[in-house]
Structure formats: structure tokens, C-alpha cells
Amino acid sequence: MKAKTLSAALGILAGVSVGQFWLVPDVWVLVYLFVVATFAGVALFKFKKEWSTIAWLFFIFLIIGNWRLAAMRNDNQLNFWLDKSVSFEGYIVNDSYLGATDTNAIIKLNLLESLVADGKIITKLPTQNYQYGDSLNVLCKLSWPENTGYAAYLKRLGVGAVCNDPYIEKLGENKGSFIQKSLINLKHTFISRIKRVIPAPASGLLSGLLLGDKTSLSDRTLNSFNNTGLTHIIALSGFNITIIIGALLLLLGWLPLVFRYIVAATVVLAFVLLTGAEPSVVRAAIMAGFIMLAMLSGRINDVAVSLGLTAAIMTLFNPEILFGDAGFQLSFIATLGIIYLSPVLEITFRKIPQQISTYLIPTLAAIIAVTPIIAINFDRVSLIAPISNLLVLPVIPGTMLIGFIALILSWVNIYIAQAIGLIAWIFLKWILWVAEMFGGFSFLSISVDWFNLFFAILYYVIVTIFIWRKYVQENQLASSNMDSSIDNS
């Protein structure tokens, strides 16, 4: 059953991947493929072998995944209006308040050229005086970006066009979801309270750690984080959440399993709420949740199947996230890396003291796993990342916990909150110092704009062979030791 479930999940992911090059052109081709698959299934069932069922399921769900992507792309009503000047009405559906001078706003359409319309358009707002739920009337020329990376990102968000040089008229407020607006307002309140508790630039870093907000950090600091491979700690991607939960569960090893699970799940829920329950964070939290199951239950195979099934369901719901959402990719690959690479690295670094290996092993496992994803999405790879992460990650959970406590206490007594915030400030300054210290070695952050999907596949093939060889060698060693003990007895 596990193999069949995994086959179906991989089929969906493969179908969406094939869709980047070829999509089911119409419904009749879809029917034809299903007919062929049905006859092939009948023929394979005669073999009465499990592999025949697995192969058939993979092909069927490959068709379903490909069709789902085709249906989503064909549903874009804005293709007709590209390269034309249009007038439309809609309301802002993202948190557009935070930002520098220009802020991107995603507008959900109500009317397009006085016609009822559906879809999303992204545009730059001239000021910060707009926020979620504002109703706008916009006049501009629509286009679609030539940059394939940015285009994939917009598709993942459900955006169908880019609005250039807009003329904007504000019509009203308080559109959209009341719950979403309340969560966004709560995030802004938290950011303002953090600034009262901890001085800058440490307050900006704590906002990044707790809320994924980077607007209070200088360009120099952000470049230092990029050069040292530490950007993930202020992005609230699945990579970040996975590392934090892994460290948290290890630190709480003295607690019963149930309590560890409850604490970890509470931390994930807090992340989701604090960041305004943005879709990318929700996806990252779902993906990172499986690392908890892996570490608590120890049933690696079951977790791997569940992880693949969850990734397939999320991809089926929004096929564009597979290639357009770096956070989703980092969540999925980092979790797989920790599950499968950590045991191998434990064998390799078995002589290292446990106090160091506790943080070194999951960190290295995640970094090794996500390096191709980082290279493809950001065109850069940090050679100093393992060292900088090893120096920083041990203090991240404690820093976030102390910072959060200080934040909550700021509503009770600001002076007590600032006293506790001083402890967090010490750790935050350490993190900033590591980033700035190693970030100065810019030559250790190399450009890899030549890295593409072919090299990524080759990389993962080599890593898979390495894992397999280590497992084989360890099993052979265990078998040899068992034979020796039997002979001696």
C-alpha cells in the first residue's frame, strides 16, 4: 500500500514537471490518454505483479497532474488583455503596507473594462498608504514578465498580469477576509512592539526571526545574510521552520514524546498566526510538521510516504508551487535531507562529540539537500554556510523564545519586557556579528548562474548513490559483527 501511495504521489509531481514542457492540449487528448491507460492497466494486471499496479498508478496520476496544470493555466482570463491599456476595479489581497518606497500589491479583480472579471493583477503602489482590503480603481497597461523565474513566482500566486505605470484611485476599505485582515494588523502591532522592547538593528532581526519581516534590516545586513547562507532564518521558509523544530525537539529530549509533539506543534501554529497566516508560511508549516513525525515516531518510511502524499496534494491544489515556490521546494527537500541524510552523517561523524553533532548533523543534512534548490532559485551558493549556520543555529530557538516572551510581556510591563529583551539582544547581536564577520568574505559566495535542472538531477543522483553506499556498508559491517559474535560464542 505504501509503494502504491508513493507511486500515485510521484505521478502527480511528474505530471506537473512534464507540464513545464508539454501540456494536455484539450479534453479529447485527455480522454485518449485515459483510454490507453485503462487498456494498459488491464494488460498489466494479468501479470499479477505489484510492480504492474505501481506502474499503472504512476501513469494515471501523471496524466491527472499534467491535466490539472493545463486546466489552471487555461483558466487565466487575462491573456486577452495583455499589452493593452485597461481600467479595472478590485481590492488588495496581500500585505502591501510593509516595504520601502515602492510596494507590490496584488489586486483581486471585480471589474475589468466594466465587465465582471476574475483573476489577480500585480502592481507597484507609489506610497505605503495602502493596505489589505483597500478597494481601488486602476488604469494601466498590462504585460507579462520575460523573466521566467519571476513569471513562475507570479503564476504560483495566481497572478495573471503585471500592471505598469498605474493611475490609482482609492474607492474604499475593508474588503476581503476579516480574519486575514485581523492577522495582518496583529503582525504590524507585533513589529511595533518589538521595536519598543529591543533597539535596532537587533529589533529588525527579531522581526525577521519571528515574523519573516525584513524591511527593518539594512541592505548591507541582508547582503551579509545572503553571502553567509543565513537568509533562511529571516525568511520563515520551510527550511527555517524545519531546522528550528528539529533543534527544539532535540533540546526537549528530556520530555515525554507527547509533550514534545505538543510544544513543537504549538510553535508551528504560533509561526502561522504571527506571520498573518500567509499561504507560503502555511505550506511551510505543513511540510515542516512531518519532520516532527519523523523524529518522534522514528517511522521514517511512513513519514516519507506521508511527505510525498502531502506534497502531491498541495501541488494538485496549486500546481504552480512545484516550480514557482522556492519556500515549498526548500521545505520538501530540507525535510527529506534531514530524514535520509542525517543517519548517514551520524555514521560519518560518529567520533564528534554529541554536543556538536546534535546541531551539526541536521544542519549539514539540510544544507546538502537544498544546495541545488538555492543555486537554481538564487544563482548563488555560499561556501561558508555550514560554518555560519553551525555558529548561529544553536542560539536561534532560545533567541526566538526569549524574544517572544519579551514581546508578550511588553503589554504587561514595558520595563520588565526590556530587561528580558536584553538577553535576546545579546544573542541577536551575536547572529548579526557572525553574518557581518563572514559576510565580508564575499569571495566565499560564488555565482552559479550556469547551474540548471540537469546539474541538479546529477547532484541528487550522486547524493543518492552516496546514501545507498553508506547504508550498504553499515549493514555489511553490522552483519559481519553479528557473524563474528556467533562464531565466538
Side-chain angles (χ1 to χ4, degrees):
M1 186 62 185
K2 294 178 184 177
K4 295 175 183 177
T5 302
L6 188 59
S7 175
L10 292 177
I12 291 174
L13 299 177
V16 175
S17 300
V18 170
Q20 308 305 312
F21 311 99
W22 179 85
L23 288 169
V24 176
D26 54 51
V27 67
W28 291 112
V29 175
L30 181 67
V31 171
Y32 170 76
L33 289 173
F34 266 107
V35 170
V36 171
T38 300
F39 280 106
V42 172
L44 287 172
F45 285 146
K46 290 185 177 181
F47 288 101
K48 296 182 180 180
K49 300 287 185 180
E50 186 177 7
W51 68 264
S52 60
T53 305
I54 292 173
W56 181 76
L57 284 171
F58 178 83
F59 184 69
I60 284 290
F61 281 91
L62 184 148
I63 297 172
I64 293 174
N66 190 274
W67 165 80
R68 177 68 183 95
L69 179 63
M72 186 172 183
R73 290 187 175 178
N74 292 335
D75 196 39
N76 183 13
Q77 302 175 10
L78 298 175
N79 289 333
F80 174 78
W81 302 98
L82 294 181
D83 299 321
K84 298 178 181 179
S85 294
V86 298
S87 174
F88 62 88
E89 292 183 12
Y91 64 93
I92 299 174
V93 293
N94 69 315
D95 182 10
S96 62
Y97 181 76
L98 293 175
T101 54
D102 293 324
T103 309
N104 283 323
I106 299 175
I107 302 173
K108 181 173 176 54
L109 294 178
N110 294 326
L111 296 174
L112 177 62
E113 292 295 314
S114 301
L115 300 174
V116 176
D118 187 24
K120 294 178 182 177
I121 294 174
I122 192 168
T123 186
K124 281 191 176 296
L125 299 175
T127 69
Q128 293 183 334
N129 299 324
Y130 299 92
Q131 56 187 316
Y132 177 92
D134 285 354
S135 180
L136 307 176
N137 180 41
V138 184
L139 175 64
C140 66
K141 184 176 181 179
L142 300 184
S143 66
W144 186 248
E146 296 181 0
N147 184 304
T148 55
Y150 185 52
Y153 168 75
L154 294 183
K155 288 177 182 177
R156 188 261 294 179
L157 295 175
V159 172
V162 177
C163 173
N164 302 295
D165 300 322
Y167 170 78
I168 300 175
E169 177 186 5
K170 187 174 179 179
L171 302 177
E173 300 176 347
N174 300 321
K175 298 290 185 180
S177 167
F178 171 78
I179 295 176
Q180 186 70 23
K181 184 176 180 64
S182 299
L183 289 172
I184 289 174
N185 290 337
L186 179 63
K187 180 172 74 172
H188 293 303
T189 301
F190 279 138
I191 291 173
S192 65
R193 301 298 294 192
I194 288 173
K195 292 178 180 178
R196 292 188 60 188
V197 172
I198 297 175
S203 59
L205 177 55
L206 184 60
S207 295
L209 291 173
L210 291 177
L211 307 168
D213 171 60
K214 295 176 284 188
T215 58
S216 299
L217 294 172
S218 66
D219 290 339
R220 177 185 173 183
T221 301
L222 290 174
N223 287 333
S224 296
F225 275 81
N226 287 332
N227 292 337
T228 53
L230 292 173
T231 304
H232 63 89
I233 71 172
I234 53 174
L236 281 186
S237 68
F239 178 53
N240 180 32
I241 296 176
T242 298
I243 289 293
I244 292 171
I245 290 176
L248 182 63
L249 291 174
L250 289 171
L251 287 173
L252 297 176
W254 51 276
L255 286 175
L257 289 178
V258 175
F259 289 104
R260 274 188 279 168
Y261 184 84
I262 292 173
V263 171
T266 302
V267 170
V268 174
L269 180 61
F271 271 128
V272 172
L273 295 178
L274 286 174
T275 56
E278 295 180 1
S280 59
V281 179
V282 173
R283 285 194 294 270
I286 292 173
M287 298 294 287
F290 283 101
I291 192 62
M292 292 189 292
L293 293 177
M295 299 184 73
L296 292 173
S297 68
R299 301 174 66 180
I300 300 299
N301 291 333
D302 288 352
V303 174
V305 172
S306 300
L307 185 63
L309 184 61
T310 302
I313 292 173
M314 293 166 66
T315 302
L316 201 59
F317 180 77
N318 182 1
E320 299 291 359
I321 68 173
L322 188 60
F323 285 87
D325 189 343
F328 171 82
Q329 297 164 12
L330 290 171
S331 304
F332 184 67
I333 300 299
T335 305
L336 284 178
I338 291 177
I339 290 174
Y340 288 106
L341 265 175
S342 290
V344 174
L345 294 179
E346 286 177 3
I347 298 170
T348 305
F349 298 107
R350 62 180 63 178
K351 295 182 180 180
I352 293 180
Q354 187 176 1
Q355 294 84 347
I356 298 177
S357 63
T358 295
Y359 295 101
L360 175 64
I361 288 174
T363 301
L364 282 180
I367 290 174
I368 292 171
V370 303
T371 294
I373 306 301
I374 293 173
I376 289 177
N377 283 281
F378 306 109
D379 294 332
R380 299 196 72 81
V381 170
S382 173
L383 301 180
I384 202 70
I387 296 176
S388 58
N389 276 271
L390 182 60
L391 292 173
V392 163
L393 290 179
V395 304
I396 292 293
T399 304
M400 297 178 70
L401 178 60
I402 297 170
F404 180 72
I405 292 173
L407 173 61
I408 298 302
L409 286 177
S410 68
W411 276 278
V412 179
N413 187 300
I414 190 65
Y415 299 107
I416 296 176
Q418 288 174 346
I420 294 177
L422 180 61
I423 303 174
W425 176 84
I426 295 172
F427 292 125
L428 291 166
K429 290 295 288 184
W430 164 255
I431 296 170
L432 289 169
W433 181 84
V434 170
E436 292 173 2
M437 173 66 180
F438 289 103
F441 303 125
S442 57
F443 61 91
L444 293 176
S445 177
I446 59 175
S447 174
V448 287
D449 51 1
W450 49 267
F451 196 89
N452 55 32
L453 185 60
F454 170 78
F455 292 107
I457 293 173
L458 180 62
Y459 177 95
Y460 286 121
V461 168
I462 294 173
V463 170
T464 302
I465 293 174
F466 172 76
I467 293 173
W468 177 76
R469 284 177 60 86
K470 281 291 183 181
Y471 275 120
V472 169
Q473 290 173 3
E474 190 67 15
N475 289 334
Q476 289 176 346
L477 180 61
S479 177
S480 176
N481 291 337
M482 183 178 295
D483 291 341
S484 298
S485 61
I486 292 175
D487 293 339
N488 293 332
S489 61

